[in-house]
Amino acid sequence: MKVAVVKESAPGERRVALVPEAAARLRSAGIEVLVEQGAGEAAWFPDSAYAEADAVVVARDELYAGADVILMVGRPDEPTLERLRAGQAVVGMLTPLADPGLARELAARKVTSVSLDGLPRTLSRAQPMDALTSQSNVAGYKSVLVAASAYGRFFPLLITAAGTARPAKVLILGTGVAGLQAIGTARRLGAVVSAYDVRPTTKAEVESLGATFVELTSVGPAAGEGGYARALTEDERQAQQQELADHIARHDVVITTAQVPGRRPPLLVTADAVKSMAAGSVVVDMAASPLGGNVSGSVPDEEVVTENGVTLIGAGNLPATMPTAASAAYSRNISALLLHMTRDGALVIDPADDIQAGVVITHEGHVIHPATAALLDDPHNESAHD
Ligand code: NAD
């Protein structure tokens, strides 16, 4: 089996799906590895490092012609889709619930597609394959550094001859993997940290990291399936926004991480809440995406300063800004999944396997992932019918 590693094409994307160390491990499992010229350069992995790991560095045309399985971080863009041929497989973060139209196109081309973001999170044997977790860890850490760098004061309490600086008050909204990592990082920088989530089970985790859990009286618990949050009703959403606004006004730095699978990210920080913050405050919106984000007025990949002096940072792809660590972790995830799906040197699709049931999206001309197939049958789903 020939496995190929592409050079990512999305704007700002600096990660690579397989680092040289992981390429060497696949080689020792008898898998041939092709790497597109320059694929790892932006993450500081030169072509020579792949060659030393016994991978073959090739031009793009040769890669698509020769590969059985193509590994990527994101999703294939249009020129890539044109190159894929029937029987080839792609493995990446394809976000089929947000973009089921891509699955339809891959099925039409008879391409087998595997999406790491569909992995069942609660299966302990799937943990080494959990790219959402590994990338969220990177993002949560980096979000605090981005916030601290934009904030015009200190994070820690500092007592010096030139005066005393009070510690920054940081509020983390959404305490999944990224939020918990952000709490730990902000605490290590010396900030006073509070955090909130709609899943009450996270309270103990938040407190164990030394932060204060914010409890809202107007919104009940909203845990959904598989450990995720459920979407709130319109009434719950409004009540949550209003009650959160008081807390937001009392903080110097707010970092938002809230997501609901397959949905637009919930709006947690309204325009009024931003207006209530003091000049010099910083808000990092890790959910900022073209679909919207957690913060009114945040723009993906941009820093906006509001009229009242609040810096809003749209930071939806922070793992791409720490490409070496993020790629190393992603490589381990994608290699573990690939090896799990490989028997006798070939990719074997088995929808009866509970890991594969979550990640295999298309095979032999069909969308076989049930949740994605259901979206494609839904006439009200815009993405599926554009
Ligand atoms: P996520 O990225 O889907 O969402 C981030 C956080 O936003 C979640 O904690 C969610 O509850 C919260 N959120 C959603 N809507 C909200 C709202 N309106 N207001 C406030 N908060 C809101 O979450 P994630 O980090 O991917 O984690 C999802 C789940 O997977 C968690 O239960 C986590 O513990 C679990 N998980 C388990 C394992 C494992 O068992 N090995 C590994 C990783 C994650």
Side-chain angles (χ1 to χ4, degrees):
M1 180 165 75
K2 281 188 183 163
V3 166
V5 185
V6 294
K7 187 170 162 62
E8 298 294 318
S9 57
E13 184 53 77
R14 294 178 54 193
R15 290 171 290 176
V16 61
L18 203 71
V19 302
E21 186 201 356
R25 259 186 278 129
L26 292 186
R27 287 292 295 126
S28 57
I31 295 173
E32 285 184 60
V33 181
L34 305 178
V35 179
E36 184 175 346
Q37 282 164 354
E41 250 165 33
W44 310 112
F45 299 109
D47 288 349
S48 57
Y50 287 98
E52 277 165 30
D54 211 10
V56 183
V57 179
V58 293
R60 184 167 296 179
D61 287 345
E62 202 181 327
L63 179 132
Y64 286 102
D68 299 307
V69 181
I70 298 166
L71 307 185
M72 52 187 71
V73 173
R75 46 156 288 162
D77 57 10
E78 275 306 317
T80 304
L81 281 172
E82 298 292 326
R83 287 172 183 268
L84 297 174
R85 48 184 169 73
Q88 262 178 338
V90 292
V91 187
M93 301 269 254
L94 309 179
T95 59
L97 298 182
D99 183 11
L102 171 66
R104 187 182 43 200
E105 198 159 344
L106 289 163
R109 289 173 188 275
K110 296 193 167 48
V111 170
T112 295
S113 59
V114 176
S115 188
L116 278 108
D117 50 314
L119 196 82
R121 309 288 289 282
T122 43
L123 276 185
S124 56
R125 68 196 174 90
Q127 278 177 19
M129 309 165 197
D130 190 345
L132 284 179
T133 290
S134 73
Q135 304 305 292
S136 291
N137 264 323
V138 175
Y141 166 81
K142 186 71 187 272
S143 69
V144 176
L145 304 189
V146 167
S149 155
Y151 184 52
R153 298 169 187 261
F154 289 107
F155 263 36
L157 167 75
L158 274 192
I159 301 168
T160 74
T164 298
R166 67 163 175 81
K169 282 186 270 178
V170 175
L171 176 64
I172 313 285
L173 299 178
T175 52
V177 177
L180 294 174
Q181 186 60 251
I183 293 172
T185 308
R187 290 269 302 144
R188 284 193 287 276
L189 277 182
V192 174
V193 184
S194 303
Y196 163 74
D197 199 289
V198 273
R199 291 182 300 116
T201 46
T202 65
K203 181 175 192 271
E205 292 165 331
V206 165
E207 289 175 348
S208 74
L209 290 169
T212 304
F213 192 76
V214 172
E215 299 199 44
L216 300 191
T217 52
S218 61
V219 194
E225 284 173 18
Y228 291 104
R230 65 166 170 82
L232 300 183
T233 64
E234 187 51 41
D235 286 350
E236 285 175 320
R237 219 178 352 248
Q238 281 182 17
Q240 183 190 54
Q241 288 167 354
Q242 277 170 17
E243 201 175 347
L244 273 180
D246 289 340
H247 293 278
I248 291 164
R250 288 197 291 273
H251 285 83
D252 306 303
V253 172
V254 176
I255 296 173
T256 69
T257 78
Q259 297 278 0
V260 177
R263 301 289 193 116
R264 288 168 66 123
L267 183 74
L268 303 182
V269 183
T270 60
D272 284 345
V274 173
K275 276 193 196 128
S276 72
M277 297 182 82
S281 305
V282 176
V283 184
V284 178
D285 183 0
M286 283 178 53
S289 76
L291 284 177
N294 295 149
V295 180
S296 173
S298 74
V299 181
D301 304 320
E302 281 186 32
E303 205 170 296
V304 177
V305 181
T306 65
E307 274 178 18
N308 61 320
V310 177
T311 303
L312 306 180
I313 301 174
N317 193 8
L318 287 174
T321 69
M322 280 189 47
T324 317
S327 302
Y330 186 82
S331 284
R332 272 176 235 125
N333 303 141
I334 202 167
S335 317
L337 179 61
L338 187 69
L339 291 173
H340 172 74
M341 297 179 68
T342 303
R343 304 226 204 316
D344 300 326
L347 199 68
V348 176
I349 301 301
D350 174 11
D353 171 70
D354 43 9
I355 292 179
Q356 291 211 31
V359 297
V360 180
I361 310 303
T362 60
H363 186 51
E364 293 179 335
H366 299 284
V367 177
I368 63 169
H369 186 249
T372 309
L375 284 176
L376 287 167
D377 283 336
D378 177 356
H380 300 295
N381 187 289
E382 282 170 27
S383 168
H385 294 270
D386 57 13

